[in-house]
Structure formats: C-alpha cells, structure tokens
Amino acid sequence: MTYTSQETSVEAGRPVDIYDFTLASQVYRYTSAEDDQVVGGNTYTAIAISRTKIRQSQEQRQATLEVALPSDAAFPSRYVTSVPSERARVTIREFHRADGDLATLFVGIVKSVAFDQAGRRAVVAVDPPIAVTARQIPRFTFRGQ
C-alpha cells in the first residue's frame, strides 16, 4: 500500500511521527513509537513525545505548533540554564509501519521552550519559517553625521 492509501484507510494506517531537532551542528532525533526506529540510517529514540494539531490557515504566521516531551531529554536540557545563541529547527515527518514512505508534515523554527511547574515536561513552541517575516525590523540601522 502507498502512504496515501494507508493515510486515508480507517484500519490499515499505523502512523509514527519522527522529530528532528537541529541546533547548530547537533541533531536530536525522537519518535512517538513505542520502540526506537531506524529511518534513513538514523536512529530515532522512543520517548513520550506529542504535538498539537498542525493548523492550515491563511495566516501562517500565527500557526504555532507545540511539541511536548520529557524535560530530561537531550534537546530541552540545552535550554535549562540558558538559551543557545543559535535558533533551533524542527522537522516533523510521518510514516506508516507497513511501508517506509516518509511524508514531511511540518518544518519550523523553535520560538521558545517552557518547562512545567514540576519540571517533568518541556513544551517547545515552533513557528513556521514564514513567521520570521512578522517581526518588526528597525527602519533605520545607521545615521549619518
């Protein structure tokens, strides 16, 4: 079966999300599956990771996606003491266990990382790349004598 036929099937689909968090030259790979997954020669670690629904709207600048994962995972641990100087990127892809066809669901830039009161969960807010254009940019960056 193809990816599309499994995705639209009521009973045959068994989707698995895989997450690539890229910060500078370091890549953190996680999966929502029950066990570690090897995709494209890369191992994705199975952790309790979830995401909000991906919204499709005309106003993509406001389509922030939230990814929740344990705060002791390697990626959110980088944000505990200080915010890294580089911006992290997130790629979320999906495949079905019956076939190896990958579909890219979302690509974005980490906006913030928040930790819950107990310190057990981290919520990563991810903006689509177009959201960067919504920022106010100073009109004048220099001034003559």
Side-chain angles (χ1 to χ4, degrees):
M1 292 180 90
T2 65
Y3 176 85
T4 306
S5 61
Q6 287 194 26
E7 188 68 17
T8 57
S9 172
V10 176
E11 297 175 359
R14 294 177 45 198
V16 174
D17 286 350
I18 57 174
Y19 299 80
D20 290 313
F21 292 88
T22 306
L23 180 60
S25 61
Q26 186 73 32
V27 180
Y28 304 92
R29 295 181 174 95
Y30 303 114
T31 181
S32 62
E34 304 83 32
D35 51 350
D36 291 355
Q37 299 291 311
V38 177
V39 178
N42 297 313
T43 301
Y44 290 83
T45 306
I47 62 171
I49 189 168
S50 61
R51 62 177 169 80
T52 56
K53 188 174 182 177
I54 297 171
R55 296 182 301 171
Q56 297 290 330
S57 68
Q58 290 181 345
E59 190 57 44
Q60 286 296 318
R61 293 181 184 137
Q62 298 175 354
T64 300
L65 178 77
E66 291 184 347
V67 178
L69 64 159
S71 60
D72 60 352
F75 177 73
S77 295
R78 297 281 306 266
Y79 290 82
V80 171
T81 56
S82 65
V83 176
S85 59
E86 301 89 11
R87 298 201 63 181
R89 290 182 341 214
V90 179
T91 303
I92 303 172
R93 296 179 290 167
E94 181 182 72
F95 70 95
H96 290 272
R97 292 180 187 266
D99 65 6
D101 293 342
L102 283 173
T104 300
L105 300 178
F106 188 85
V107 176
I109 300 167
V110 172
K111 177 180 179 180
S112 65
V113 177
F115 298 91
D116 67 358
Q117 292 282 343
R120 294 187 183 130
R121 300 288 289 168
V123 177
V124 180
V126 185
D127 280 341
I130 189 89
V132 185
T133 62
R135 289 193 206 140
Q136 292 290 337
I137 299 172
R139 185 171 173 199
F140 298 108
T141 56
F142 67 92
R143 188 169 152 186
Q145 294 283 11

